[in-house]
Each structure stands twice: as structure tokens, then as C-alpha cells.
Amino acid sequence: MNTIKSVKQNNKTMKIVYCGVLIALSAVGALIKIQGSIAFDSMPGFFAALFLGPSYGALVAGLGHILTAVTSGFPLTLPMHIIIALEMALFGYLFGVFYRKFNYAIAIILAIILNGPIGALVAAFASVLLGLPFSGWVLFYAVIIPLTLASVANIVLAYLIFKITNKYKLRV
């Protein structure tokens, strides 16, 4: 019984270590900007959702956006970036769930739709509620294309890296 407990604890420790490394990779991705606070910070979060589980994906994706916002100077204000970070955490979590419940293609398509057009809509709505000067449809049209393209790149890259790790039997 002690051996089983030890193995489970070791597995948990490994997941925490991997999570820390992926958060650090999010920090690096946060420095690779596409537009404003749209960057390559979410790839480690989407990868974590597949490799470590949906909850870890949520943590890494949410923190990844905060790191991007910090390195961008919070261009949409702190409250708005907190909303976006929570949204990213939800999308990272759902990507992991979709992958486990359906298949990779459905998970990728749904995550791109959520993180691209739906994310842009939520940001536009939240910006109006917060009374930001750059808000509503103006914000939506400004971010929809770069956000969707970044989503495609981050999500597809996360999946491809996950497949490579599975090929070489890297597991936690």
C-alpha cells in the first residue's frame, strides 16, 4: 500500500514540475507577440491540457495570458486581462476535456472557435461593460483575425508536440 501511495505522490510531483516548466515556456511565448497582448503564450497551456490533464491546462493557459499582459503593459487594463485569463483557463480546460471525450479533430476545431471568434466576442462584450475606450465591435474587428490565426498556431502546435511525446512514450 505504501508503494502505491509513493508512486501516486511521485506522479503528482512530476506533474507539478512539468507544470512549472510549461508556465516558464508560456513566459517565453508571451514575449513573441502577434498583436498587442496576442502572443504565443497559450501553446504550453493547450499542451498541458493534453499531456497533464484539463486542470493543469487551465492553470498554464490562464497564467500564460497574465504573463503576456504583464509583458505588454496591460494594454486593455488589468480587469480586462483578468477576464481574458479566466477565459483562457476555461478554454484550456475545455480543450483537454474535448480531446478526452471526442477526438483530436473535434477538440482542435472547438478550441480554435472558442479561443478565436468566441474569445473575441467575449472580449468585445467585456470591454463595453468595463467602459473601455477601445471596445465593442471596434475591438472585435481589430482582434478577430490575429486572435484566430494565433489560436490555430498555438493549438495545432500543442497537439503536434503532444503526438511527438506520445510517439516516444513520454508520460507522467
Side-chain angles (χ1 to χ4, degrees), residues 112-124:
I112 290 169
I113 291 168
L114 285 172
N115 198 42
I118 302 297
L121 274 174
V122 170

Side-chain angles (χ1 to χ4, degrees), residues 88-150:
M88 289 303 304
L90 175 64
F91 297 160
Y93 180 84
L94 290 174
F95 181 57
V97 169
F98 294 154
Y99 180 80
R100 290 175 180 204
K101 291 208 181 269
F102 303 110
N103 63 42
Y104 77 93
I106 290 172
I108 289 172
I109 291 166
L110 290 174
I112 290 169
I113 291 168
L114 285 172
N115 198 42
I118 302 297
L121 274 174
V122 170
F125 179 72
S127 67
V128 170
L129 290 178
L130 293 171
L132 300 179
F134 185 65
S135 64
W137 290 113
V138 173
L139 177 62
F140 176 81
Y141 289 123
V143 300
I144 182 68
I145 291 173
L147 185 59
T148 302
L149 291 175

Side-chain angles (χ1 to χ4, degrees), residues 4 26 32 46 53 57 62 65-66 68 74 80 89-90 122 124-125 133 143 163-164:
I4 293 172
S26 287
I32 305 169
F46 289 117
H65 179 75
I66 292 297
T68 296
F74 293 100
M80 183 67 173
L90 175 64
V122 170
F125 179 72
V143 300
K163 290 306 286 182
I164 290 168

Side-chain angles (χ1 to χ4, degrees), residues 1-169:
M1 191 68 167
N2 252 351
T3 305
I4 293 172
K5 186 176 180 181
S6 175
V7 168
K8 285 183 180 180
Q9 182 60 38
N10 193 21
N11 188 32
K12 179 93 168 163
T13 302
M14 285 303 296
K15 283 187 174 190
I16 291 169
V17 169
Y18 278 123
C19 191
V21 169
L22 290 169
I23 291 168
L25 285 173
S26 287
V28 173
L31 299 173
I32 305 169
K33 307 275 193 267
I34 294 170
Q35 174 184 320
S37 64
I38 300 171
F40 285 99
D41 61 328
S42 63
M43 188 283 295
F46 289 117
F47 173 77
L50 300 175
F51 188 68
L52 302 173
S55 297
Y56 289 97
L59 177 66
V60 175
L63 287 175
H65 179 75
I66 292 297
L67 293 168
T68 296
V70 166
T71 61
S72 301
F74 293 100
L76 298 174
T77 73
L78 179 60
M80 183 67 173
H81 284 290
I82 290 171
I83 291 168
I84 295 170
L86 292 172
E87 184 179 48
M88 289 303 304
L90 175 64
F91 297 160
Y93 180 84
L94 290 174
F95 181 57
V97 169
F98 294 154
Y99 180 80
R100 290 175 180 204
K101 291 208 181 269
F102 303 110
N103 63 42
Y104 77 93
I106 290 172
I108 289 172
I109 291 166
L110 290 174
I112 290 169
I113 291 168
L114 285 172
N115 198 42
I118 302 297
L121 274 174
V122 170
F125 179 72
S127 67
V128 170
L129 290 178
L130 293 171
L132 300 179
F134 185 65
S135 64
W137 290 113
V138 173
L139 177 62
F140 176 81
Y141 289 123
V143 300
I144 182 68
I145 291 173
L147 185 59
T148 302
L149 291 175
S151 298
V152 169
N154 279 300
I155 292 164
V156 170
L157 188 57
Y159 173 73
L160 292 174
I161 293 169
F162 175 69
K163 290 306 286 182
I164 290 168
T165 61
N166 274 347
K167 181 179 177 183
Y168 293 105
K169 306 289 187 233

